[in-house]
Amino acid sequence: MMIVRGRDDARWMPSRHRFALFRLAAYLRLRRAAPRPRPDVMIALTGIGDARENYGIAAWAALTVTCYVTSELPWPLILAIPAALSLAMLLLQAVIIASGLTARLFSKNENQLRFNGAVLGVALIAAAVYYARSASWVRFAAWQFLAFVALNALAAIVAFLLRDSIAKLEGTFAA
Amino acid sequence: MTWFRRFLVQGVFWRQFLRWAILNQPLWIEPASMAFWTLFFMFWGPGRRGVMRNLTAIFPGSSPVTNFFRTYRVMWNFASTLADTMRFKELRVVPDWEFEGLEHFEELRARRGGAIILTAHMGSYDLGAHLFAESSERPMVMVRAPEADPQTREFEESHTARTIADRLKIDFSTRSTDLALDLLHSLQRGEIIAIQGDRITHGISALPARLFGKAMHVPAGPFALAMAARVPIYPLFIMRLGYRRYRLVTSKAIEVVRTRDRAEAFDRAVEAWTGELERAVRAGWFQWFTFEPYSEELAA
């Protein structure tokens, strides 16, 4: 794992991020940023995302699932929304636990982050596809989810095409 | 009928669950899970009440409703810190670091002789110790209180043995007299001793102190060791600033100068320490992980 010492602008290194949209945003930000020397800073290049990325995606996924659950509950919104939020969290936990336990049946490797991440992602996309076909308001929640997934896929293509430029920019920190 | 003990707040199940979560839960959904499970732990009455009482001392005149939400933030930070520590132990993922009082930290690192790091139950003791071990050639001994639950203790010891850095050693405050001699020898060999000095465990000798105007006790060991070994005490705090961002705050060294009046020397050193502790807790109240009232005046 690379650790950059003394450069605060290293926070904008694209490789710190997981999702292509955030990597691309970081690349654009880093291109415009002037070097910010700070002797009291150590930045780790982990590739697992920063606060904006992980908090943002977690909130977005949780709220989207909450919309789906709300649409299924036959209660007034004032009761349905808090109940749906709790149920949505339980559902997400259930998918992760089921996926994790299933993975262990086929693999001795205790680290199943990638597999579970893929399963959860596919489950969320599948739910979005299902609810996108609904006639009710919930289809808008589903469509916005699918729109961001498509946007991220597009960003991944752009990031791939810019891979040399990204590597060159990040190489200045290794120096 | 002790099978349920593992599910109590300090039971081993939650450590095992946390480890499992770190190895199975995608990071991009973790904050949502954290928010959910923190809410669950707010039902832990004694811990919640302990934090709320401590907050009334840190924020005199504060309302119970505000302190209730502040307590949620403390619990959230506690959960996040535990997750960061477990992630480091299992996956060697390190957070970002900032340094405050870098000149004191560099002075500590560059020192030839032994030194004592006095810290509090804030941020991640383990992450801070590892950072120091990675950046210094000198061995460090971390003194900590053992886990109350025997199964949890066994779990933590087995994982620590597997993941600890070569230059780090853990020792337990319950070893009392033997520990004091071992630590003295460590200091004389030029090693660093790290101790948490914001609360005492049962059976440990203590010195009286005041924090936020309330009477409390701090462990006497660090001050006695500093005087006996003639080494300085560096107040050092590890603050969690946000998602995988930590700040290491190092303050000016406290010297426990040997004089004819030992008690007075200890009083001065303890006052200097509690001054630093108060400053750190006031700035980082949301991660002072003290789940019992720190003063008997608050417990009443």
Side-chain angles (χ1 to χ4, degrees):
Chain A
M1 182 186 311
M2 185 168 143
I3 293 180
V4 177
R5 293 167 206 261
R7 289 277 299 273
D8 198 39
D9 50 323
R11 293 182 200 284
W12 297 108
M13 290 173 79
S15 298
R16 273 167 62 83
H17 298 278
R18 182 169 201 83
F19 290 92
L21 263 174
F22 290 89
R23 279 207 306 274
L24 205 54
Y27 167 70
L28 294 171
R29 178 77 175 77
L30 190 60
R31 277 190 60 149
R32 290 193 338 253
R36 288 199 332 224
R38 259 185 76 179
D40 60 339
V41 147
M42 276 170 53
I43 308 289
L45 204 64
T46 59
I48 58 176
D50 63 359
R52 279 183 206 88
E53 183 170 353
N54 288 317
Y55 276 102
I57 292 176
W60 171 63
L63 289 174
T64 304
V65 175
T66 301
C67 287
Y68 301 155
V69 176
T70 306
S71 72
E72 300 289 346
L73 294 174
W75 303 337
L77 275 181
I78 196 154
L79 289 173
I81 290 173
L85 189 55
S86 305
L87 286 169
M89 292 316 309
L90 286 169
L91 266 172
L92 288 168
Q93 303 289 294
V95 169
I96 294 165
I97 291 170
S99 171
L101 292 174
T102 307
R104 289 291 276 138
L105 291 174
F106 301 101
S107 170
K108 285 185 182 165
N109 190 356
E110 287 185 291
N111 183 345
Q112 294 295 337
L113 286 166
R114 280 201 169 192
F115 177 76
N116 293 339
V119 167
L120 187 60
V122 166
L124 287 170
I125 291 170
V129 167
Y130 174 79
Y131 283 101
R133 290 156 52 196
S134 164
S136 73
W137 61 271
V138 75
R139 70 183 187 277
F140 297 112
W143 277 114
Q144 63 82 33
F145 186 91
L146 292 171
F148 274 104
V149 170
L151 209 59
N152 191 69
L154 210 63
I157 294 169
V158 174
F160 177 76
L161 294 171
L162 287 171
R163 64 192 183 284
D164 290 338
S165 176
I166 290 172
K168 193 176 165 193
L169 196 58
E170 290 189 335
T172 60
F173 289 92
Chain B
M1 284 291 285
T2 55
W3 60 268
F4 62 88
R5 280 188 60 158
R6 62 192 299 112
F7 299 104
L8 296 177
V9 166
Q10 291 178 329
V12 71
F13 170 77
W14 300 106
R15 301 300 169 97
Q16 292 168 331
F17 186 51
L18 175 63
R19 182 174 179 271
W20 186 90
I22 292 299
L23 295 173
N24 285 271
Q25 178 168 249
L27 257 156
W28 50 267
I29 205 72
E30 186 181 275
S33 294
M34 203 72 88
F36 175 74
W37 286 106
T38 304
L39 206 58
F40 176 76
F41 274 97
M42 284 291 281
F43 286 100
W44 175 37
R48 187 187 68 245
R49 284 190 289 272
V51 174
M52 286 181 72
R53 285 189 189 159
N54 291 335
L55 287 169
T56 59
I58 301 167
F59 299 106
S62 51
S63 88
V65 173
T66 310
N67 284 341
F68 180 83
F69 289 104
R70 284 185 174 134
T71 302
Y72 180 83
R73 190 175 169 192
V74 172
M75 298 256 190
W76 170 291
N77 269 292
F78 186 57
S80 300
T81 303
L82 288 178
D84 287 341
T85 305
M86 185 63 79
R87 186 168 294 113
F88 167 71
K89 285 181 179 176
E90 294 295 333
L91 302 173
R92 299 321 255 189
V93 171
V94 296
D96 297 337
W97 285 97
E98 290 179 19
F99 296 85
E100 187 181 306
L102 186 59
E103 67 277 20
H104 304 304
F105 183 72
E106 292 296 342
E107 182 191 294
L108 168 63
R109 276 184 52 202
R111 243 188 92 76
R112 291 231 169 151
I116 295 172
I117 289 173
L118 204 47
T119 185
H121 287 78
M122 298 178 91
S124 173
Y125 194 26
D126 295 287
L127 282 174
H130 191 86
L131 173 74
F132 192 88
E134 290 289 308
S135 60
S136 169
E137 291 296 315
R138 288 191 292 170
M140 177 191 274
V141 179
M142 284 167 61
V143 180
R144 60 200 318 163
E147 293 289 338
D149 183 88
Q151 286 179 323
T152 309
R153 194 184 317 145
E154 195 185 319
F155 175 87
E156 287 295 330
E157 283 174 15
S158 71
H159 278 78
T160 302
R162 191 165 54 84
T163 59
I164 198 169
D166 290 336
R167 287 190 294 279
L168 267 177
K169 184 182 164 232
I170 310 273
D171 218 327
F172 295 99
S173 54
T174 43
R175 288 207 306 122
S176 204
T177 318
D178 292 339
L179 176 66
L181 286 170
D182 288 344
L183 293 178
L184 185 59
H185 292 145
S186 293
L187 285 169
Q188 287 165 345
R189 284 194 298 267
E191 294 175 11
I192 306 284
I193 309 295
I195 306 174
Q196 286 167 315
D198 58 339
R199 72 171 85 131
I200 54 171
T201 46
H202 181 68
I204 301 301
S205 63
L207 290 169
R210 291 197 80 79
L211 191 70
F212 298 106
K214 309 281 182 204
M216 53 114 53
H217 288 89
V218 296
F223 302 95
L225 272 173
M227 183 183 274
R230 296 179 205 249
V231 298
I233 295 174
Y234 285 87
L236 190 147
F237 304 96
I238 298 133
M239 307 274 205
R240 184 177 176 272
L241 296 181
Y243 187 78
R244 290 190 50 255
R245 280 181 64 195
Y246 286 81
R247 178 179 290 155
L248 197 116
V249 181
T250 317
S251 301
K252 191 174 163 206
I254 299 170
E255 303 279 352
V256 187
V257 179
R258 195 185 296 220
T259 62
R260 280 201 188 144
D261 190 345
R262 223 170 96 107
E264 199 242 332
F266 282 148
D267 284 346
R268 268 189 284 110
V270 166
E271 196 182 337
W273 160 241
T274 50
E276 292 296 333
L277 179 61
E278 204 168 287
R279 202 165 58 95
V281 170
R282 191 171 278 118
W285 59 267
F286 44 89
Q287 56 185 288
W288 190 35
F289 305 135
T290 300
F291 297 104
E292 292 171 352
Y294 74 86
S295 167
E296 282 175 13
E297 294 174 47
L298 292 168

